Amino acid sequence: MNYIDLHAHMISRTTDDYHRMALTGCLAVTEPAFWSGRDRLGPQAFADYFDHLTTFEPERARQYGIAHYTWLCLNPKEGEDRELARQVLALIPDFLDRPNVLGIGEIGLNRVTRNELATFRDHVELALEHGQLIHIHTPHLEDKYKGTRVMVEALAADPRIDPARVLIDHAEEHTVEMILGHGFWTGLTLYPKTKASPARAIDMIEMHGPERLIVASACDWGPSDSLAVPEFVLEARRRGHDDALIGRIVLENPARFLGQSPKFVPVGTGRGTVAAD
């Protein structure tokens, strides 16, 4: 089945991953800026990173017939450093006109500190100023509910924010209703050990329906699976769901959200089969 992986950190994956993703029906990936596993040494490191995401990575994906898009930001973990945040935020507008940049992300909170929230708000202002879509990271389990609530309340209190242009990602059972209830797009990231498994994601879709729900691999340098979306497709079929519902989750919903950016080129909606078949 054709799909879009809306959250994949391909800079940390090999070309074998692109190959396997292409074989299983991946038509496009979007790659949010993220923490590389160590704090970067200064703003120039971010400039190099943004240049990589907007030049080298789309060309690498193109060789496998996959469209590559990206999101730019200072990641939540490094958002604690307000001076670094100011320097990096000043760099981002120079990259926003590049053809594969869809918006600002994945911004958010890590430990839900005052400095992190200030950096989050600065990113939102930047997105509004430049008419960009927003992709949001929610904290890990121990801070997830609190961090999600803080960001949802901050966005809901701002009349300039259109929830339809915001995706709040890494949702789990205890946050998905809060996010959907405020009108935001909701991302379920599929991990082999942490966050949501394919089976848990299907549980949540069965409870809340498919409207404004998206699944993604969020594959990075840690334990993760670049084929998590095809694994979701297989598990959904095992549970008896038809291809109309599955295709809505893995292809049509991400295309609807991303299609709000004029840079996103619509991809096919034909429904083939996953390799696991």
Side-chain angles (χ1 to χ4, degrees):
M1 176 176 288
N2 290 337
Y3 67 94
I4 296 169
D5 194 336
L6 197 142
H7 189 159
H9 299 291
M10 299 309 295
I11 191 173
S12 62
R13 311 297 297 203
T14 70
T15 50
D16 290 340
D17 289 286
Y18 276 121
H19 188 188
R20 295 190 305 149
M21 294 169 80
L23 289 176
T24 55
C26 183
L27 301 178
V29 298
T30 84
E31 179 162 5
F34 83 139
W35 188 62
S36 66
R38 61 188 291 268
D39 290 349
R40 294 178 176 86
L41 299 178
Q44 189 57 44
F46 281 87
D48 290 342
Y49 178 41
F50 297 155
D51 189 62
H52 181 114
L53 292 176
T54 54
T55 57
F56 179 82
E57 211 58 50
E59 176 57 25
R60 197 161 69 114
R62 188 191 62 78
Q63 295 174 35
Y64 295 89
I66 297 174
H68 179 281
Y69 299 94
T70 194
W71 311 74
L72 304 179
C73 74
L74 182 92
N75 66 83
K77 191 182 285 287
E78 289 166 313
E80 179 67 18
D81 186 335
R82 292 290 292 148
E83 179 54 31
L84 178 64
R86 279 188 281 271
Q87 294 174 350
V88 174
L89 282 159
L91 293 172
I92 291 175
D94 289 341
F95 293 89
L96 291 179
D97 287 338
R98 295 196 177 186
N100 71 326
V101 178
L102 297 183
I104 301 298
E106 58 181 314
I107 62 174
L109 302 174
N110 182 45
R111 292 298 180 187
V112 200
T113 68
R114 183 174 300 177
N115 281 350
E116 288 177 6
L117 183 58
T119 299
F120 171 76
R121 291 182 182 279
D122 286 345
H123 278 107
V124 171
E125 288 295 330
L126 183 66
L128 290 172
E129 180 181 347
H130 292 274
Q132 300 291 309
L133 297 174
I134 298 175
H135 183 185
I136 293 177
H137 163 99
T138 53
H140 298 284
L141 187 59
E142 62 270 27
D143 297 307
K144 183 170 291 294
Y145 185 84
K146 176 184 176 183
T148 303
R149 178 175 54 79
V150 167
M151 290 187 287
V152 165
E153 290 178 352
L155 295 171
D158 189 335
R160 300 171 301 165
I161 298 292
D162 178 0
R165 292 178 59 81
V166 178
L167 171 72
I168 300 182
D169 217 338
H170 302 306
E172 296 184 7
E173 289 85 347
H174 59 313
T175 59
V176 63
E177 187 171 0
M178 179 199 324
I179 300 168
L180 286 171
H182 283 82
F184 300 105
W185 284 87
T186 305
L188 307 174
T189 44
L190 309 168
Y191 281 81
K193 295 181 179 178
T194 60
K195 301 189 175 71
S197 65
R200 285 173 55 196
I202 295 164
D203 288 344
M204 287 183 265
I205 291 165
E206 289 174 349
M207 292 178 64
H208 299 285
E211 183 64 21
R212 286 182 283 109
L213 274 171
I214 292 170
V215 298
S217 72
C219 57
D220 56 22
W221 45 263
S224 54
D225 182 3
S226 61
L227 299 185
V229 176
E231 290 286 352
F232 167 88
V233 171
L234 182 60
E235 181 64 20
R237 285 174 173 166
R238 283 183 178 142
R239 297 265 287 260
H241 293 292
D242 62 28
D243 280 2
L245 174 70
I246 301 168
R248 183 172 177 184
I249 296 294
V250 303
L251 182 62
E252 295 165 19
N253 277 358
R256 278 179 57 204
F257 174 66
L258 299 171
Q260 296 177 91
S261 168
K263 295 181 189 172
F264 180 75
V265 178
V267 293
T269 57
R271 294 172 183 140
T273 56
V274 293
D277 287 344

